Amino acid sequence: MSSALIADITAPSVNYYMLAPILIVLGGAVLSVLVEAFYPRESRRSAQIALVLTTLVVAFLAVLNIKVDAILGFTIVNSLAIDGVSVFLQGLIILSALVGALLISENRIDPLGDAFAAQSSALPGSEDELAFTERGWYQTEIWSLFLFSVGGMLIFPIANDLLTLFVALEVMSLPLYLLVGMARRRRLLSQEAALKYFVLGAFSSAFMLYGSALVYGFANSVELGDIAKALSASAANSNLMLVGGIFILIGLLFKVGAAPFHQWTPDVYQGAPTAITAFMSAGTKVAAFGALLRVFYVALSGLAWDLSAVLWAIAIITMLVGTIIGVAQSDIKRMLAYSSIAHAGFLLLGVIAQSKAALDGSLFYLAGYAFTSLGAFAVVSLVRDASGEANHLGQWAGLGKRSPVIASVFTLFLLALAGIPLTSGFVGKFAVFAAAYEKGLAPLVVVAVIASAIAGFFYVRVIVLMFFTDASGDEVSVVVPSFATAAAITITAVVTIVLGVIPQPVFDLLSNALFLK
Amino acid sequence: MVIAFWICAALAVFGALGMVFSKKAVHSALFVALTMINLAVLYAILEAPFLSMVQIIVYTGAVMMLFLFVLMVVGVDSSDSLTESIKGQRVPALLGASALGVILIGLLGNITMTNIGFDQAYVAYDGNIDALAGLIFTKYLFAFEATSALLITAALGAMVLTHREHAEKPLTQRDLSVLRFKSGNHPGSLPSPGVYARHNAVDIPALLPDGTMAEISVPKPLAARGAIRLIDLASKDEVQALNRGEAVITSQSTDRVEE
């Protein structure tokens, strides 16, 4: 009976060249697991680094190979959408991952090794841990986890149905939960951060899953396009759609770190190894905002009016929480974490505005923010004292006199985060705010500008601290990094300036960036 | 069907509440099993036999057994610490949860649903399992494949967090024994004090067969304090006589010998 029926199932057509970046990255991740299993320990680390960098470069070439102006489309029965936005975001995620990989590969700045525990299964402070550290072992599994996470990030913003979206969310997050807990220094803090991230992340994805089920009840489909159709067609059971839509948004807003779902951000950013914080702050933000933009522009635009009050409130709270609580921080990583919350608030304006200009602005903003934030955290990892990173703001006093170059580069990143002209941050903010203003969101724009001004205060405070305050006497030094971190900081600084001075090529690139509906 | 739903739904909710409120971990686990079985019955009522069976096999069978295994390893009697690490969060959490519940009931209570999904599936594929196969291998092929990345990550993560390699090859019993003899210390267990002496007290050294004292038999702390009681030399002959079988111990006199 069933043999005839199996013949009825036609295999879906798979556009392999559209999927190439994802397949390459996930294939590389699997290879890296094999390297882990079969390579001798001495050469494992270099093999992993070579494999990861090659994979990412090849994946980037594969992204370039997808012609944005050619006819793009859905693949595997509409479960993935390859369009201008997804190509741009995938390219951006892979570039951030490349810079992130350079930072993760750093093993010069810490005399003990890289930023990760020599063996994360050894108890913190135990004799075992000491023995592994003395032998100079590395936990090389981080590279496989890193690639899996990048693979999830590549799927997340192009998922065209809620089921794929959920799986991508988990593929992206699960390796990050692990990586966050593997810091070499301050391991208990790192493990606590990982646990917090895991528990809250699981909680938020449960919300998203419940929301997807409710939306399925309304639309009889989890495909984004079908949901939009169902929204415009029928008003029956619209409560299902409203609650489901809000729950899905909760899941996505958690990932972008919008208030009041931001509680994990400062703790996780502080506890994670700084290289992972840098990668997360760029990659997760880009992937999650990509998914949020797609869900909102493609599926929920019919619900925009119902959701506007909620989204306005969330945007305003996010901007204010990010900036006002950010002012009170005394830890540089926590300060940058609150800054990332504030930036999520600014980016929400682009989500609410729902226009082509707002979409372009948001994507440009993401590109600028990703590189700036990578660079800022890279600099944070260089300022150290005997016990590890010197994260307390007081320890940064007088840094400008001792290491003028590093202090100047950090100033550049801070100015970009504050949105000062001639940096990428200014162009991004201007584009998003202008697009929001055009769509009649003037009150939100006013709040955003006030929040930017408050945020500017704490960025400038760090600059004043570095250049115009005398050192407090703590032995803090800027470590000379290896080529990898130096390259990462140079690349991010150059991108931050170039995007701020000549942004037009990127906007030209974005002219094709539209969502496939 | 409606009656069955209300019975199973009530039992499932009861199981969920019981899981949260029971103080013993084993009870919690069994309550989860109750909830899972009731969900399986609900799936069966909704004409999803495959899902129903998988629910029982995977959740009630595999996952619950894993939970119980872990509980056995941790120890059934160990109870969670019930002290609140965040003060005063209970009332706001309860209020928030009830508010969410009220909102959900209010908004979703008046939904009318028609069961059309399965009819469509059966028309297209003639059966539950065929329809599932149809969806997994066509529409959700990518999500299905991507799940494998999740499984690899989970396996890798479990290894990273728990598998402890050895910095050095661990010593075998043979290595340990070789080491013990090489060190030059007394290889076996030490002789107990008082053997062959007239007394059995710990502070009196044992006598070797030739009548000399085995100082090693007295615990080191006593020796360090100088609290060793030496037996008088006269007893040496007695011991030797004892050894030859010409004498028997008759008394347990405890005369102290001045050092």
Side-chain angles (χ1 to χ4, degrees):
Chain A
M1 140 198 140
S2 49
S3 59
L5 286 158
I6 287 168
D8 293 345
I9 298 175
T10 45
S13 71
V14 180
N15 267 321
Y16 282 104
Y17 91 99
M18 285 183 179
L19 286 182
I22 300 171
L23 297 181
I24 289 169
V25 168
L26 289 181
V30 173
L31 268 184
S32 138
V33 174
L34 291 179
V35 167
E36 202 52 52
F38 293 113
Y39 245 68
R41 180 179 303 281
E42 300 76 46
S43 51
R44 209 183 280 165
R45 182 179 131 87
S46 34
Q48 291 280 26
I49 294 175
L51 174 67
V52 167
L53 292 181
T54 319
T55 304
L56 289 176
V57 169
V58 174
F60 187 68
L61 295 179
V63 171
L64 294 183
N65 186 36
I66 304 175
K67 294 189 181 50
V68 183
D69 47 353
I71 301 163
L72 297 173
F74 302 110
T75 185
I76 315 190
V77 202
N78 294 356
S79 61
L80 296 173
I82 312 288
D83 48 29
V85 180
S86 47
V87 173
F88 180 82
L89 287 174
Q90 288 198 329
L92 181 57
I93 289 168
I94 293 178
L95 287 181
S96 320
L98 261 173
V99 177
L102 290 178
L103 294 177
I104 294 173
S105 74
E106 172 66 64
N107 67 342
R108 292 279 172 75
I109 50 180
D110 194 325
L112 298 181
D114 60 4
F116 298 87
Q119 180 112 89
S120 4
S121 55
L123 287 177
S126 65
E127 279 178 29
D128 257 7
E129 187 193 31
L130 209 67
F132 294 127
T133 310
E134 273 172 4
R135 280 177 174 71
W137 282 20
Y138 288 101
Q139 184 92 54
T140 38
E141 283 90 347
I142 52 168
W143 294 102
S144 322
L145 295 173
F146 171 73
L147 275 187
F148 275 120
S149 178
V150 175
M153 285 175 188
L154 292 180
I155 306 171
F156 199 40
I158 72 167
N160 195 48
D161 65 52
L162 295 175
L163 199 68
T164 313
L165 190 75
F166 176 72
V167 174
L169 173 77
E170 294 300 326
V171 173
M172 168 178 103
S173 310
L174 199 59
L176 282 179
Y177 300 146
L178 289 159
L179 289 170
V180 164
M182 289 163 71
R184 183 182 286 273
R185 309 270 187 167
R186 287 169 226 175
R187 288 188 64 192
L188 289 178
L189 196 69
S190 165
Q191 289 176 352
E192 187 192 332
L195 190 67
K196 209 172 265 181
Y197 194 20
F198 176 62
V199 171
L200 290 177
F203 193 53
S204 79
S205 39
F207 269 101
M208 194 166 136
L209 210 52
Y210 189 26
S212 307
L214 294 177
V215 168
Y216 180 76
F218 172 79
N220 280 323
S221 167
V222 286
E223 222 171 89
L224 299 187
D226 289 349
I227 294 168
K229 261 182 236 153
L231 258 174
S232 58
S234 77
N237 290 343
S238 59
N239 282 347
L240 268 182
M241 185 61 217
L242 187 65
V243 177
I246 289 178
F247 278 12
I248 292 172
L249 281 183
I250 288 178
L252 293 170
L253 289 170
F254 172 85
K255 277 291 151 196
V256 304
F261 317 110
H262 68 284
Q263 254 87 1
W264 60 277
T265 318
D267 293 333
V268 171
Y269 276 31
Q270 186 189 15
T274 307
I276 293 299
T277 312
F279 168 62
M280 267 175 63
S281 72
T284 313
K285 199 73 113 190
V286 173
F289 257 107
L292 184 62
L293 285 165
R294 180 177 299 279
V295 167
F296 208 73
Y297 276 58
V298 177
L300 300 183
S301 49
L303 212 59
W305 191 83
D306 301 86
L307 290 180
S308 66
V310 177
L311 280 174
W312 274 53
I314 288 176
I316 291 174
I317 297 172
T318 307
M319 289 187 280
L320 293 182
V321 162
T323 50
I324 292 174
I325 303 185
V327 171
Q329 298 306 311
S330 59
D331 183 285
I332 191 97
K333 275 167 98 178
R334 286 185 88 84
M335 192 203 87
L336 288 174
Y338 276 101
S339 143
S340 98
I341 295 169
H343 283 286
F346 300 143
L347 273 160
L348 278 178
L349 263 63
V351 177
I352 300 172
Q354 293 243 13
S355 64
K356 171 70 180 133
L359 179 61
D360 288 356
S362 306
L363 293 178
F364 185 92
Y365 197 127
L366 281 174
Y369 176 74
F371 285 101
T372 309
S373 154
L374 274 166
F377 280 110
V379 173
V380 168
S381 72
L382 294 185
V383 181
R384 311 179 73 91
D385 60 13
S387 67
E389 278 167 22
N391 286 342
H392 196 270
L393 270 181
Q395 294 174 293
W396 284 58
L399 204 70
K401 282 166 197 156
R402 275 173 290 160
S403 325
V405 177
I406 282 297
S408 315
V409 173
F410 196 62
T411 305
L412 168 72
F413 291 136
L414 289 177
L415 291 178
L417 289 175
I420 303 296
L422 294 182
T423 61
S424 58
F426 171 75
V427 183
K429 258 186 195 168
F430 182 78
V432 170
F433 292 179
Y437 183 76
E438 270 171 31
K439 292 286 280 187
L441 302 178
L444 271 184
V445 175
V446 171
V447 176
V449 171
I450 294 173
S452 299
I454 302 174
F457 166 73
F458 65 78
Y459 299 126
V460 171
R461 194 179 57 167
V462 177
I463 298 174
V464 169
L465 200 67
M466 286 194 301
F467 285 100
F468 304 110
T469 314
D470 286 328
S472 58
D474 276 350
E475 272 312 304
V476 174
S477 58
V478 172
V479 184
V480 179
S482 70
F483 172 75
T485 303
I489 293 178
T490 316
I491 293 170
T492 49
V494 168
V495 170
T496 302
I497 295 176
V498 168
L499 286 186
V501 180
I502 32 172
Q504 201 49 45
V506 177
F507 280 110
D508 291 344
L509 201 66
L510 284 171
S511 61
N512 286 318
L514 279 171
F515 282 120
L516 212 57
K517 296 195 181 182
Chain B
M1 190 173 139
V2 177
I3 298 170
F5 167 79
W6 282 108
I7 293 173
C8 290
L11 280 174
V13 173
F14 171 72
L17 289 175
M19 181 259 164
V20 176
F21 288 114
S22 59
K23 285 202 172 124
K24 284 196 176 152
V26 175
H27 294 179
S28 284
L30 292 176
F31 273 121
V32 175
L34 177 70
T35 302
M36 293 298 174
I37 289 176
N38 278 297
L39 289 183
V41 175
L42 285 178
Y43 296 146
I45 296 170
L46 289 170
E47 299 169 45
F50 180 75
L51 185 59
S52 169
M53 285 304 120
V54 166
Q55 172 84 13
I56 288 181
I57 295 167
V58 174
Y59 282 96
T60 327
V63 176
M64 284 318 304
M65 286 313 115
L66 265 182
F67 274 147
L68 288 178
F69 273 137
V70 172
L71 287 179
M72 279 164 61
V73 171
V74 176
V76 176
D77 294 332
S78 69
S79 58
D80 291 334
S81 143
L82 292 175
T83 45
E84 284 181 60
S85 49
I86 307 171
K87 284 262 152 44
Q89 45 100 17
R90 237 171 240 216
V91 174
L94 207 63
L95 284 178
S98 348
L100 185 67
V102 168
I103 290 172
L104 282 183
I105 293 171
L107 282 176
L108 302 181
N110 56 354
I111 300 296
T112 50
M113 301 290 282
T114 45
N115 187 3
I116 61 161
F118 291 113
D119 293 346
Q120 279 180 355
Y122 292 156
V123 168
Y125 293 104
D126 187 45
N128 189 261
I129 297 176
D130 298 41
L132 266 178
L135 283 177
I136 288 176
F137 293 111
T138 57
K139 188 160 172 43
Y140 298 114
L141 176 69
F142 189 81
F144 180 63
E145 297 283 348
T147 316
S148 64
L150 208 56
L151 291 179
I152 300 176
T153 309
L156 201 62
M159 288 283 288
V160 166
L161 292 185
T162 55
H163 175 66
R164 205 178 304 169
E165 288 175 81
H166 293 282
E168 274 172 7
K169 220 178 120 206
L171 296 173
T172 60
Q173 199 166 8
R174 184 192 169 85
D175 298 331
L176 286 173
S177 134
V178 168
L179 276 180
R180 197 158 52 229
F181 278 90
K182 268 191 183 164
S183 69
N185 296 329
H186 195 283
S189 51
L190 298 173
S192 43
V195 179
Y196 290 133
R198 286 192 306 173
H199 313 285
N200 259 348
V202 284
D203 51 353
I204 298 180
L207 289 181
L208 296 171
D210 61 350
T212 51
M213 285 182 292
E215 303 228 0
I216 196 175
S217 66
V218 179
K220 272 183 191 160
L222 290 181
R225 272 190 275 158
I228 299 183
R229 282 202 286 163
L230 302 171
I231 41 173
D232 47 40
L233 292 170
S235 68
K236 191 174 165 188
D237 303 329
E238 199 177 330
V239 170
Q240 280 167 348
L242 203 68
N243 255 0
R244 288 192 298 272
E246 292 167 2
V248 285
I249 298 176
T250 51
S251 64
Q252 292 282 324
S253 61
T254 55
D255 40 348
R256 175 147 197 133
V257 179
E258 297 304 320
E259 290 172 39

